[in-house]
Amino acid sequence: MKEGFRQSMAWLHTWTGLLFGWLLFAIFVTGTAAYFQEEISRWMKPEVSAATDRAAATQAAIGYLQTTQPDAESWFISPPSARTPTADIFWQPRKVEGEPPKRRKRGETSATLDAEGQPVTARETKGGFFLYRFHFDLHYMPVMWARYLVGVAAMFMLIAILSGIVTHKKIFVDFFMLRFGKGQRSWLDAHNVTAVFALPFYLMITYTGLVTLATQYMPWGITANYASPDTFFEEVFPGRAEVERTGMAAPLVPVAPLMTAASQRWNGAPVGSVRVVNPGDKSATITLTRAPSGSIGSRGESIVFSGSTGDLLDKSAAQGGAMATQSVMIGLHAGRFAGWGLRWLYFLSGVGGAIMVGSGLILWTVKRRAKLTGPVRPPFGFRLVARLNVAAVVGLPAGIAAYFLANRLLPLGMAGRAEWEVHSLFILWGGTLVWAIARPERRAWVESLALTSALFAAVPIVNAFTVPRNLATGLISGDWLFVAFDLAMLTLATSFGFAARKAAQVKAARQPRHARKVQEELATA
């Protein structure tokens, strides 16, 4: 009975992993890259370089808004940080009585400012933010449908992890049995090692990913108790009542003392955002919200001060147990609280997850190739999975390399430049699929891996010829972001080049001498 249960879990593990494996691989890769999305965005905007003081830069941003948008209804400022050296500002124009709200183009109500409060002119790009959004919003499809699809994939991932734990009875022993050059056994070892390497992380990241969008996936509690979802969200996230303008002009108090007072209340956590309502009026309020990096919970506390006197007006109420738990779950998933050491641990665990999913997809074909009666002309289903494996496991990394190259090579004044950076990723990704279909499987692997290696190797070379910030200048000036990025690209190029070399050394598929013994090991592993 026990072995029968394990075998049923093996079937469940195999097919849940395969059905959504290609999408899960893309989610893992882009989600892992998102742990350094701010650093990727800074690399993709080489014009932005100066690090700044948060309070001084925030005050300079307020000065800019007072000069350019004094009549706005509200201002919103994201102060700079150690990872983001500029201040991002947004403003809401005052509503005109009797006129509907205008639909405004991107950039009409926003700007990026340097330490002196001057607009920064940088190339148009979506930077690392695109990779972050792709891992749960995908692209070229409605966001809600994409999130449902990602949610189903996450549920399948959770099932695959749990069934994998049941199936592999020697999983922790096999962690120390990474054998190379053993065909099927080597692929299973790679799958097992990467699975055990960060097993708690995989469980956490999958479960918390589902919790993040729980109200979308399971809305029945809301619909059963509230007239509309808006009523629920207004009750859970109550906003402060709007204050009408008095018509009496009054200057804003300096923001630096308020930021210091707020940080002290939050045990030293920094301010993540500043919102000014009714600027220039005696009724003005300044709302400061804690940065996500200041605590494991994703939803920061807020404090409201009078804009004209600096008096404390209000502060957010303590969260209930349910909301605090959800906030921590989301914080664990996003990892914004993590310092450099923990952030690298998140990243390496994500890399292990991508290898785990990718090796599982390849293992599916490796196991079944040994059972084929006619390996020269395998069934259509087998050929389809094999080609999709090439496109998923190699095509997406190649596309990301193309995304970085497009950032440097596309004309700076090109219309829709940011969108074409994204298009370049998908064009190359799709081209990899076409190539995998057109070429023999083994050659498709070798050539696609070699191309990906070349693309990543080209990133630091093209960067050196197109912008003044690169590996060499970074080592001289201490511009460590560009040093680290170029080294990361060269590491990826080396890894894919090594994989291409190993793939080229693999002989054509044939029935192994001890196929029966290997199959028995795989069935009971």
Side-chain angles (χ1 to χ4, degrees), residues 178-226:
L178 182 56
R179 289 156 287 192
F180 297 97
K182 300 294 184 181
Q184 300 173 27
R185 186 72 247 184
S186 296
W187 282 112
L188 184 61
D189 285 349
H191 188 63
N192 287 341
V193 167
T194 52
V196 182
F197 164 71
L199 182 58
F201 172 83
Y202 306 145
L203 287 167
M204 178 276 290
I205 209 70
T206 305
Y207 179 74
T208 55
L210 290 167
V211 170
T212 300
L213 300 174
T215 54
Q216 177 181 334
Y217 299 146
M218 296 182 292
W220 308 289
I222 297 175
T223 56
N225 293 280
Y226 293 88

Side-chain angles (χ1 to χ4, degrees), residues 263-445:
S263 183
Q264 290 174 348
R265 283 177 173 268
W266 299 330
N267 299 318
V271 174
S273 66
V274 178
R275 184 170 183 259
V276 181
V277 178
N278 298 337
D281 191 84
K282 189 176 181 180
S283 65
T285 59
I286 301 175
T287 302
L288 307 181
T289 303
R290 175 182 57 77
S293 61
S295 174
I296 193 172
S298 63
R299 294 194 178 92
E301 303 94 331
S302 61
I303 298 179
V304 183
F305 296 94
S306 167
S308 57
T309 66
D311 295 337
L312 177 65
L313 300 179
D314 194 10
K315 60 180 180 179
S316 57
Q319 292 180 335
M323 291 303 301
T325 300
Q326 189 202 33
S327 178
V328 169
M329 291 287 185
I330 297 173
L332 279 170
H333 186 85
R336 295 189 181 96
F337 68 94
W340 284 109
L342 185 55
R343 188 173 301 280
W344 273 105
L345 184 59
Y346 263 82
F347 178 81
L348 294 175
S349 298
V351 171
I355 296 173
M356 175 186 67
V357 176
S359 61
L361 291 169
I362 296 171
L363 183 61
W364 190 93
T365 58
V366 171
K367 289 173 65 174
R368 280 150 187 79
R369 179 174 283 111
K371 299 178 182 179
L372 293 175
T373 56
V376 177
R377 292 194 59 82
F380 171 77
F382 181 90
R383 298 199 308 272
L384 176 63
V385 172
R387 267 52 180 188
L388 288 174
N389 282 349
V390 178
V393 175
V394 187
L396 176 58
I400 293 175
Y403 180 59
F404 295 149
L405 287 170
N407 176 263
R408 292 297 190 258
L409 295 175
L410 291 177
L412 297 182
M414 178 181 181
R417 187 180 190 279
E419 286 71 23
W420 275 104
E421 285 183 0
V422 175
H423 295 332
S424 67
L425 185 157
F426 288 98
I427 289 170
L428 190 53
W429 193 358
T432 306
L433 175 59
V434 173
W435 191 257
I437 294 172
R439 297 287 287 163
E441 181 190 349
R442 190 166 65 89
R443 296 308 308 167
W445 276 110

